[in-house]
Amino acid sequence: QVQLVESGGGLVQAGGSLRLSCATSGRTLSTYNIAWFRQAPGKEREFVAAMVWSGRTFHADSVKGRFTISRDNAKNMVYLDMNSLKPEDTAVYSCAARGSYFDVRDPYSSGTYDYWGQGTQVTVSS
């Protein structure tokens, strides 16, 4: 059973930075396709960033140049570094994973991923 546990959320002023972490267990991280999604109140879940099995990364246009996804296979950790935060980045951020030995076809879709964390709240004040 794969488990994902996020941490690192909190309250930050606009322009500030946060690092979200996702601890993974149950399978070697290098065999995962991983992603971060977010959901703001009253809005649908949206894609933020992904790193597929090969290491290739994808970022939503709204966060390109500000957010970076990374992973540390030795520590079984996934990270989302968020800089230049804006009030519109306020949401619950969740990490997601799908185990495979190949790149998933659609890293942008939430339906691609089998495992989800409980989420961590990020609030950006203006």
Side-chain angles (χ1 to χ4, degrees), residues 34-37 45-52 56-61 64 104-113 116:
I34 57 174
W36 287 95
F37 286 78
R45 178 186 287 168
E46 68 171 346
F47 170 81
V48 177
M51 179 180 284
V52 295
R56 185 180 175 188
T57 60
F58 303 81
H59 294 81
D61 288 344
K64 277 181 181 176
V104 290
R105 181 175 59 84
D106 185 0
Y108 300 96
S109 171
S110 61
T112 292
Y113 303 94
W116 291 82

Side-chain angles (χ1 to χ4, degrees), residues 28-80:
T28 304
L29 181 58
S30 61
T31 62
Y32 291 152
N33 294 269
I34 57 174
W36 287 95
F37 286 78
R38 67 186 181 186
Q39 188 167 19
K43 295 187 177 180
E44 293 188 353
R45 178 186 287 168
E46 68 171 346
F47 170 81
V48 177
M51 179 180 284
V52 295
W53 174 76
S54 64
R56 185 180 175 188
T57 60
F58 303 81
H59 294 81
D61 288 344
S62 60
V63 306
K64 277 181 181 176
R66 300 189 299 123
F67 292 11
T68 303
I69 188 171
S70 63
R71 67 186 178 194
D72 185 332
N73 291 338
K75 296 181 179 179
N76 288 326
M77 295 293 292
V78 179
Y79 303 105
L80 184 68

